[in-house]
Amino acid sequence: MRQVQQWAQRRWQEDLKTKLSGRSVGSKTWWTTLKQQQGLTSDDDVPPLHKSDGTVATKNKDKAEVLASFFSNKMSVPDPERPPPFVPALTNAKLSTITITIEEVRQRLSQVDTNKALGPDNISPHILKHCASQLATPLTAIFQHCITTGVWPTLWKGARVVAIHKRARGLIPRTIDLSPFSQFLGKDTFIIALDIAGAFDRVWHHGLITKLNSLGIHGHLLLLLQDYLRGRYLRVVMNGQTSDQHPISASVPQGSVLGPLLWNAFFNDLLQLIPEAHAYADDCTLTFPCDSGDHCATVAHINQVLQTIVSWGHRWQVELAPDKTQVMLVSDDTPLTHPPSYLMEGRYPCRLPSPYLLKSAPYGVCPLTWLSCPSYLSLLDKIQHRAQRLIRLKAPPDQPSPTMQPLQQRRDVAGLCVIYKTHKQGAPHLTALRQPWAQPHGHTTRAATSRVHQLVVPFARTETFLRSFLPRYTRMWNHLVMQTQLHYTTSLHTFKSAANAWIKQP
């Protein structure tokens, strides 16, 4: 272990030397790295925060305490010691203990990601991976002792939290997986994107243990999981300054192996209770297919289901967020003149405008939604190319083979049509996609007239977002405005035909 530690130190020193002496290093990088080695870091990452006593926290230590207190209060439920509701056994199978072998531990250690940060025990992942053979035996003894006694080490119950600013975003259409209701093509479908406040942060520990017991977990293993959840705490790290310990009375640990598994055990009974629900982790979507003339009956059923979900939340101390829950109607018909009301917790869930109406034509929605995932779209393009080759091979030699319009061209035309309907026709159900018009230059130029009809391209920090709908088609719209007069077209059909010809040009 000492040899591995010395090797890691030498490697770190060589990397630092290379970083500071390379030709591409700038003055900013050089000084930033030097200050980091001296422990001098900027205090501007997090702005001053208000304390509970009304004063303002400006030092890193004080900021860390404010955030730690906030996170600790967030990871709680109203009545953590309340006896949980009775849950009948869901299986006759029982699991009371597990056996851990030295070889299993050695394999897991050898697969440790060395890019991960140190845990609360301050053991480097390099040590865990490169000393896997030496550490496997003592760690196996510790793990097996934990299972036998049903006790989780206190040091492993702590969490280091680093605050990351989350930008507030306006209402945007969610990416909805259409596969759960693809079988209902030809019918209207109501979709409800359910929002659970806090989700992982507010899992009731007593309720979770009860549900684990109903799933057949008992004996020493259940005691170990119960101790794993009991007495947890967190610290917030702010520019090298660490807050005091703050208790956690609810939640499942995020970023851990057990976290998602425990959440699934806690959330599973709601999925059994509501057959219309489909979930991935804490994202839950409800789908309700219906005929176009049967909306009223379906909405009544939706409200009954929402009430059932609310009652389940009260029993298990799960807080729902009606303001963030979104409702969408997938239909080929025109938008509803009087959108129905959906009740949750006595409030109306957030409804995408009009409501948000999507055409179910094959290339009207899905490809535009998946623009930032070119690998998936390329699979469709390959299928089309293969079909084109087969047609060419089977075509009579004396006749020209028919050609297919490239799928990317169809996607681009569809994207420009959406921009046209949003900004030129003012489609109310596309309000969330509207971008501000570009401001004209302060002086006269040849491009001044076209700039009036251009849009502000949203800033993209990543390549993934740069490929998504708004950045891509806002840029394409601006090119169209500069090169053509299509933005003056008053008919969508005329615009679509002309845009098709414009994109087809070499």
Side-chain angles (χ1 to χ4, degrees):
M1 290 178 65
R2 284 196 296 269
Q3 291 176 354
V4 172
Q5 185 178 15
Q6 293 171 359
W7 167 84
Q9 289 177 343
R10 289 195 301 270
R11 176 181 168 182
W12 175 82
Q13 291 170 353
E14 290 297 327
D15 290 345
L16 181 62
K17 181 179 178 180
T18 302
K19 182 177 180 180
L20 292 179
S21 60
R23 293 183 177 181
S24 60
V25 63
S27 59
K28 183 177 180 181
T29 303
W30 196 90
W31 283 110
T32 300
T33 305
L34 182 62
K35 289 180 180 180
Q36 288 176 347
Q37 303 310 312
Q38 294 177 327
L40 303 175
T41 56
S42 174
D43 293 341
D44 298 333
D45 296 339
V46 175
L49 303 174
H50 290 282
K51 298 182 181 179
S52 57
D53 59 2
T55 59
V56 177
T58 56
K59 297 182 178 179
N60 288 323
K61 176 69 173 179
D62 295 336
K63 293 178 184 178
E65 288 294 341
V66 172
L67 291 175
S69 177
F70 171 78
F71 295 143
S72 176
N73 292 332
K74 182 182 178 183
M75 296 179 180
S76 62
V77 292
D79 190 2
E81 301 302 326
R82 189 182 80 188
F86 171 75
V87 179
L90 302 178
T91 176
N92 293 325
K94 299 293 183 182
L95 181 64
S96 59
T97 188
I98 56 176
T99 301
I100 300 176
T101 66
I102 296 176
E103 181 59 25
E104 288 175 340
V105 174
R106 189 193 65 78
Q107 290 181 357
R108 294 299 180 92
L109 291 175
S110 63
Q111 297 171 358
V112 167
D113 185 357
T114 55
N115 293 321
K116 297 293 185 180
L118 276 65
D121 52 13
N122 290 323
I123 297 178
S124 168
H126 287 282
I127 297 292
L128 297 177
K129 182 171 184 176
H130 295 285
C131 299
S133 299
Q134 292 82 3
L135 292 175
T137 299
L139 286 179
T140 301
I142 294 175
F143 298 155
Q144 200 62 52
H145 181 72
C146 292
I147 295 174
T148 303
T149 60
V151 176
W152 195 270
T154 303
L155 181 62
W156 294 349
K157 294 182 179 182
R160 287 179 175 176
V161 180
V162 178
I164 300 177
H165 178 64
K166 183 178 181 181
R167 289 189 175 184
R169 296 185 297 175
L171 179 62
I172 59 174
R174 289 195 175 197
T175 301
I176 301 295
D177 181 10
L178 300 180
S179 59
F181 50 87
S182 60
Q183 56 183 312
F184 303 115
L185 288 177
K187 288 189 174 184
D188 292 355
T189 303
F190 287 91
I191 306 171
I192 298 180
L194 196 66
D195 191 278
I196 302 173
F200 280 51
D201 292 336
R202 294 178 178 174
V203 173
W204 181 23
H205 290 167
H206 287 352
L208 174 58
I209 293 300
T210 299
K211 293 185 178 183
L212 287 173
N213 190 29
S214 72
L215 293 172
I217 307 298
H218 73 128
H220 290 294
L221 185 57
L222 185 64
L223 292 176
L224 179 62
L225 291 173
Q226 187 172 358
D227 192 70
Y228 171 76
L229 297 170
R230 184 190 302 121
R232 302 194 70 87
Y233 60 91
L234 64 84
R235 292 188 177 98
V236 170
V237 180
M238 182 73 63
N239 288 334
Q241 298 295 320
T242 305
S243 70
D244 296 333
Q245 291 185 12
H246 288 254
I248 300 174
S249 60
S251 82
V252 292
Q254 298 191 41
S256 65
V257 176
L258 282 178
L261 185 62
L262 294 177
W263 167 259
N264 289 340
F266 185 73
F267 195 63
N268 178 68
D269 61 323
L270 178 63
L271 301 181
Q272 304 301 321
L273 187 64
I274 309 295
E276 296 89 353
H278 312 273
Y280 179 78
D282 60 335
D283 289 330
C284 184
T285 302
L286 311 176
T287 57
F288 299 88
C290 67
D291 295 325
S292 57
D294 197 28
H295 286 176
C296 292
T298 304
V299 171
H301 176 57
I302 290 174
N303 284 330
Q304 290 179 354
V305 171
L306 291 178
Q307 185 56 46
T308 301
I309 295 174
V310 170
S311 299
W312 176 87
H314 290 165
R315 288 197 306 274
W316 296 103
Q317 303 199 64
V318 175
E319 184 179 348
L320 302 171
D323 297 335
K324 295 182 180 179
T325 296
Q326 298 180 2
V327 182
M328 180 169 66
L329 171 62
V330 179
S331 173
D332 276 333
D333 296 331
T334 56
L336 301 178
T337 306
H338 301 288
S341 299
Y342 313 89
L343 284 172
M344 177 184 290
E345 297 276 12
R347 290 182 284 169
Y348 297 111
C350 179
R351 218 177 23 244
L352 292 179
S354 293
Y356 198 85
L357 183 75
L358 295 180
K359 299 292 185 181
S360 60
Y363 279 90
V365 177
C366 292
L368 301 183
T369 305
W370 288 88
L371 279 173
S372 57
C373 303
S375 58
Y376 291 100
L377 294 179
S378 65
L379 295 177
L380 292 175
D381 295 337
K382 288 181 180 178
I383 294 174
Q384 187 191 42
H385 295 159
R386 184 179 180 185
Q388 185 73 50
R389 288 196 300 270
L390 292 175
I391 293 174
R392 192 164 48 246
L393 290 173
K394 296 296 182 181
D398 57 339
Q399 296 181 7
S401 59
T403 59
M404 294 182 180
Q405 185 185 50
L407 295 182
Q408 185 58 52
Q409 180 177 340
R410 297 185 65 181
R411 290 191 286 266
D412 290 340
V413 172
L416 286 175
C417 287
V418 172
I419 296 294
Y420 179 87
K421 289 190 290 185
T422 303
H423 296 84
K424 287 297 183 178
Q425 295 186 334
H429 59 285
L430 298 174
T431 304
L433 299 177
R434 191 164 295 163
Q435 290 295 110
W437 295 103
Q439 296 297 322
H441 294 298
H443 52 279
T444 303
T445 63
R446 288 182 296 176
T449 304
S450 63
R451 182 169 175 82
V452 175
H453 300 277
Q454 293 182 24
L455 300 171
V456 175
V457 179
F459 176 71
R461 292 182 179 273
T462 64
E463 287 293 330
T464 301
F465 182 67
L466 188 65
R467 293 191 298 263
S468 62
F469 175 82
L470 280 178
R472 176 181 175 83
Y473 289 112
T474 303
R475 295 196 310 272
M476 188 174 291
W477 170 269
N478 290 344
H479 288 308
L480 180 142
V481 168
M482 289 189 295
Q483 299 176 11
T484 72
Q485 298 293 316
L486 295 182
H487 49 284
Y488 291 111
T489 306
T490 58
S491 167
L492 176 62
H493 178 74
T494 305
F495 175 83
K496 182 176 181 180
S497 300
N500 219 329
W502 177 72
I503 293 176
K504 192 176 181 179
Q505 294 177 355

